[in-house]
């Protein structure tokens, strides 16, 4: 009986059929990256806001005040009494009633100078001037509640983490395409509920669920694309990352054209319903079917692939070699039970964690500094495009391991140099830091490919999902690490990033080279790499 790779070679390793499936599934990268960074536009802080005094709304309506008039009566006396008080998070501890004069609403407190009037902390009733639609103004995430905006992004990352475990496991047990389609449905439904959440608690619950299903769509489509092409074409795993970057580049255009945060949320969520149409055009992974002892179904799909590729499978291909491993449900122990699997898993988990931590840390450090948010965000995304092209040019010529290691080491050196460059040449600091970001982006994209190539088919989706869960952990830790260490010394985070990247660069040299080899089908195949 021929092996799967022999049948795939005759049916076409990257023919018309695979190109179509690849293009369709790649669109998932656009929606997933938009979800990943959407908080930048969903949570834009209002430029000016102030706290309304109880009773002011009724008095303002009776007196015919404009918002500017009300602000002058509310905030100006407060600022005159204490210049350090802006009126955003504190208000005068007074109550206005409708019997107060429209021209001198503070006349009843005439015996007090404005500096002696009592103050109270504002807990609600904020007024946002030129209201900018965002979840900040929608749910009053300002002043003492400002940390809740950070919480919303942490909750999304927790959803990614849960999706890596739950849906990664499910995809190895129940199939790639089934979990992909269910995840697309989940992202779409949860995204709509997020857009119309009546309160912040509901918003957080369904943002968590949208993150969980979003991770399911991204990881499953990535594995599915990798499994239907030949070993020489697995570079598509890098090309698909370009669509992730495209999502980051497209998002500011969407945000610019759509004025409300609900509209932006719907724009990045609703396209997931279109992916449900893939049920009729994207088949189950034949590699996965073979591991579940479903050889006839796998062969039927292979004949269909050959037909679309303009090829014909030999009649003697009545069966395909099926894995001799017993069908079992994947567990973490399967990833660490044997020496090679254990080494691969631990190094890959560290590589995922490091890549995410440094990537997000450098993004936040370079930031989107002042200026036009839409243009700055677009440029920050465009910086990532060369990474995929550099990988495509080098990875099939010199292998996976060397670019993986060198990108981490270059990122390490760039972070270290940036930390010690003088402040009076900011353009040079920014240039070197950008080189660090480009390098860590290359490492981030290579780890996707290497991870999928170092696990057997029976454990591939679960292994990729579990290892990449460390990416989400890095994403949760990054802001806290960056801002806490920067409070001690501004450049201290870069020193930590440099150390982490250097260690990762040397560790990945211990991984086996996967250039040009067939995807391992069993744990024994991995041990023999």
């Amino acid at each position: 009986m021929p092996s799967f790779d022999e049948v795939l070679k005759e049916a076409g390793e990257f023919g018309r059929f695979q190109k179509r499936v690849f293009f369709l599934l790649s669109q998932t990268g656009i929606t997933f990256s938009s979800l990943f960074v959407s908080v930048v536009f969903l949570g834009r802080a209002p430029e000016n806001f102030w706290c309304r005094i109880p009773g002011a709304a009724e008095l303002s309506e009776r007196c015919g005040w404009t918002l500017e008039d009300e602000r002058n009566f509310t905030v100006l006396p407060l600022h005159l009494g204490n210049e350090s008080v802006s009126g955003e998070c504190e208000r005068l501890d007074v109550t206005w009633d409708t019997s107060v004069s429209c021209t001198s609403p503070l006349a009843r407190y005439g015996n007090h100078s404005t500096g002696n009037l009592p103050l109270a902390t504002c807990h609600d009733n904020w007024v946002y001037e030129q209201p900018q639609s965002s979840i900040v103004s929608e749910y009053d995430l300002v002043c003492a509640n400002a940390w809740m905006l950070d919480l919303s992004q942490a909750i999304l990352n927790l959803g990614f983490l849960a999706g890596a475990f739950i849906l990664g496991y499910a995809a190895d047990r129940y199939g790639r395409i089934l979990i992909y389609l269910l995840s697309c449905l989940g992202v779409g439904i949860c995204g709509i509920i997020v857009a119309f959440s009546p309160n912040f608690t509901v918003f957080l619950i369904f943002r968590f669920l949208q993150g969980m299903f979003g991770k399911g769509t991204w990881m499953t489509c990535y594995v599915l694309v990798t499994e239907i092409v030949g070993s020489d074409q697995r570079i598509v795993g890098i090309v698909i990352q370009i669509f992730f970057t495209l999502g980051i580049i497209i998002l500011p255009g969407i945000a610019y054209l759509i004025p409300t945060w609900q509209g932006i949320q719907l724009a990045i969520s609703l396209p997931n319903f279109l992916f449900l149409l893939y049920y009729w055009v994207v088949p189950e992974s034949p590699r996965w079917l073979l591991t579940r002892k479903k050889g006839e179904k796998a062969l039927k799909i292979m004949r269909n692939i050959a037909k679309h590729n303009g090829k014909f499978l030999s009649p003697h291909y009545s069966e395909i070699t099926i894995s001799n491993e017993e069908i079992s449900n994947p567990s973490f122990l399967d990833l660490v039970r044997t020496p090679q699997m254990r080494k691969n898993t631990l190094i890959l988990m560290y590589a995922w964690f490091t890549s995410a931590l440094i990537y997000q840390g450098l993004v936040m450090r370079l930031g989107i500094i002042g200026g036009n948010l839409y243009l700055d965000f677009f440029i920050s995304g465009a910086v990532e495009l060369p990474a995929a092209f550099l990988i495509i040019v080098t990875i099939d010529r010199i292998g996976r391991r060397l670019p993986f290691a060198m990108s981490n080491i270059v990122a390490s050196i760039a972070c270290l140099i940036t930390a010690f460059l003088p402040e009076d040449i900011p353009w040079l600091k920014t240039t070197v830091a950008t080189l660090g970001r480009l390098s860590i982006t290359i490492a981030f994209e290579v780890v996707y490919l290497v991870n999928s190539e170092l696990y057997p088919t029976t454990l591939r989706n679960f292994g990729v999902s579990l290892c990449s869960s460390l990416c989400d952990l890095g994403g949760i830790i990054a802001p806290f690490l960056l801002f806490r260490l920067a409070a001690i010394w501004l450049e201290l985070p870069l020193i930590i990033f440099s150390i982490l990247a250097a260690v990762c660069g040397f560790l990945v040299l211990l991984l086996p080279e996967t250039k040009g080899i067939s995807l391992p089908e069993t744990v024994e195949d991995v041990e023999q790499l």
Side-chain angles (χ1 to χ4, degrees):
M1 290 187 294
S3 68
F4 176 79
D5 286 298
E6 289 171 341
V7 176
L8 181 61
K9 188 165 288 189
E10 187 157 334
E13 293 183 298
F14 194 55
R16 188 186 311 154
F17 181 89
Q18 285 100 329
K19 289 174 183 174
R20 184 186 69 188
V21 169
F22 164 72
F23 178 76
L24 292 174
L25 290 176
S26 292
Q27 308 309 310
T28 310
I30 297 176
T31 55
F32 179 70
S33 63
S34 298
L35 171 64
F36 185 74
V37 297
S38 60
V39 70
V40 175
F41 297 101
L42 297 183
R44 289 190 67 183
E47 293 181 7
N48 295 301
F49 62 95
W50 45 276
C51 189
R52 189 175 241 164
I53 294 175
E58 293 81 357
L59 184 61
S60 181
E61 185 177 352
R62 182 172 71 84
C63 295
W65 289 343
T66 64
L67 271 181
E68 184 65 26
D69 294 331
E70 186 182 335
R71 184 180 187 278
N72 289 336
F73 287 127
T74 302
V75 179
L76 194 58
L78 185 66
H79 187 59
L80 290 173
N82 188 340
E83 291 187 3
S84 64
V85 178
S86 63
E88 293 178 349
C89 302
E90 289 180 303
R91 63 171 177 80
L92 294 173
D93 192 13
V94 299
T95 303
W96 285 345
D97 56 55
T98 53
S99 64
V100 174
S101 164
C102 288
T103 55
S104 303
L106 292 175
R108 62 189 296 184
Y109 300 97
N111 294 330
H112 300 273
S113 69
T114 52
N116 294 328
L117 288 173
L119 300 178
T121 301
C122 193
H123 296 292
D124 52 22
N125 212 17
W126 279 281
V127 176
Y128 302 96
E129 294 184 0
Q130 299 175 341
Q132 181 175 293
S133 178
S134 77
I135 60 174
V136 174
S137 55
E138 182 81 16
Y139 303 114
D140 288 333
L141 307 183
V142 293
C143 299
N145 297 333
W147 65 275
M148 292 184 179
L149 179 62
D150 301 327
L151 177 65
S152 73
Q153 186 66 6
I155 288 292
L156 180 70
N157 275 282
L158 284 175
F160 292 155
L161 192 62
F165 283 99
I166 297 170
L167 298 175
Y169 171 86
D172 276 336
R173 183 169 183 178
Y174 302 109
R176 308 334 190 188
I177 194 64
L178 174 64
I179 299 305
Y180 173 79
L181 293 172
L182 289 176
S183 295
C184 290
L185 181 64
V187 173
I189 293 173
C190 292
I192 293 173
I193 297 175
V194 165
F196 298 105
S197 298
N199 55 60
F200 192 58
T201 301
V202 174
F203 177 91
L204 288 181
I205 291 171
F206 284 93
R207 187 157 171 81
F208 169 85
L209 292 174
Q210 190 176 26
M212 184 181 76
F213 288 119
K215 189 60 174 280
T217 64
W218 178 235
M219 295 308 302
T220 308
C221 87
Y222 188 92
V223 170
L224 189 54
V225 164
T226 306
E227 289 185 338
I228 63 169
V229 299
S231 60
D232 291 336
Q233 282 75 35
R234 290 201 299 271
I235 194 70
V236 297
I238 297 298
V239 180
I240 200 173
Q241 303 288 333
I242 296 175
F243 287 83
F244 183 94
T245 301
L246 284 177
I248 294 177
I249 293 173
I250 291 170
L251 181 61
I254 294 173
Y256 181 79
L257 294 173
I258 301 177
T260 65
W261 75 266
Q262 292 96 337
I264 297 170
Q265 172 66 21
L266 291 174
I268 64 177
S269 301
L270 293 179
N272 284 275
F273 289 119
L274 295 176
F275 299 154
L276 298 178
L277 299 174
Y278 293 177
Y279 174 82
W280 287 279
V281 290
V282 178
E284 181 54 89
S285 166
R287 285 185 190 271
W288 177 83
L289 288 170
L290 288 175
T291 66
R292 308 306 286 188
K293 311 297 184 186
K294 298 179 180 178
E296 290 185 6
K297 286 186 178 179
L299 188 59
K300 182 178 179 182
I301 291 172
M302 294 307 298
R303 293 192 184 283
N304 187 43
I305 291 175
K307 178 182 176 183
H308 281 85
N309 288 344
K311 300 197 174 185
F312 182 73
L313 289 187
S314 301
H316 67 271
Y317 285 170
S318 56
E319 285 186 80
I320 308 176
T321 301
I322 297 177
S323 167
N324 292 323
E325 289 188 345
E326 289 297 318
I327 294 176
S328 61
N329 298 317
S331 72
F332 177 72
L333 289 178
D334 295 325
L335 304 182
V336 296
R337 186 172 285 121
T338 56
Q340 187 75 16
M341 287 283 289
R342 182 164 54 248
K343 181 185 73 175
N344 293 349
T345 297
L346 295 177
I347 293 175
L348 287 168
M349 289 174 81
Y350 179 78
W352 275 107
F353 175 80
T354 302
S355 298
L357 184 65
I358 298 173
Y359 176 84
Q360 293 200 31
L362 289 178
V363 168
M364 285 185 289
R365 189 182 184 283
L366 287 173
I368 303 170
I369 31 181
N372 186 315
L373 174 63
Y374 305 100
L375 180 61
D376 291 343
F377 196 87
F378 171 83
I379 293 172
S380 75
V383 165
E384 297 183 15
L385 278 178
F389 292 110
L390 284 172
I391 296 170
I392 292 169
V393 168
T394 61
I395 206 165
D396 275 338
R397 290 178 171 82
I398 60 177
R400 279 73 160 140
R401 193 166 48 184
L402 191 58
F404 197 4
M406 287 304 299
S407 58
N408 277 286
I409 292 170
V410 171
S412 172
I413 295 171
C415 288
L416 194 62
I417 293 175
T418 303
F420 293 103
L421 282 173
E423 294 292 336
D424 56 357
I425 42 175
W427 66 269
L428 184 58
K429 284 181 77 79
T430 300
T431 301
V432 178
T434 301
L435 175 63
R437 180 176 172 185
L438 175 64
S439 300
I440 205 64
T441 300
I442 292 174
F444 214 164
E445 295 183 0
V446 172
V447 73
Y448 269 97
L449 178 66
V450 172
N451 202 161
S452 64
E453 293 182 332
L454 286 177
Y455 283 117
T457 304
T458 50
L459 297 169
R460 185 167 298 117
N461 210 99
F462 181 68
V464 173
S465 299
L466 182 68
C467 290
S468 68
S469 67
L470 271 291
C471 158
D472 306 318
L473 184 61
I476 294 170
I477 293 174
F480 300 102
L481 180 70
L482 180 75
F483 296 124
R484 297 297 176 189
L485 294 182
I488 301 171
W489 175 40
L490 185 61
E491 310 297 357
L492 185 55
L494 290 176
I495 305 297
I496 303 300
F497 295 160
S498 178
I499 295 170
L500 291 172
V503 172
C504 187
F506 289 110
L507 282 178
V508 298
L509 289 173
L510 301 176
L511 294 172
E513 178 57 67
T514 54
K515 174 191 170 186
I517 66 169
S518 300
L519 284 176
E521 301 291 344
T522 66
V523 171
E524 284 73 22
D525 293 341
V526 175
E527 292 303 307
Q528 293 169 10
L529 285 176

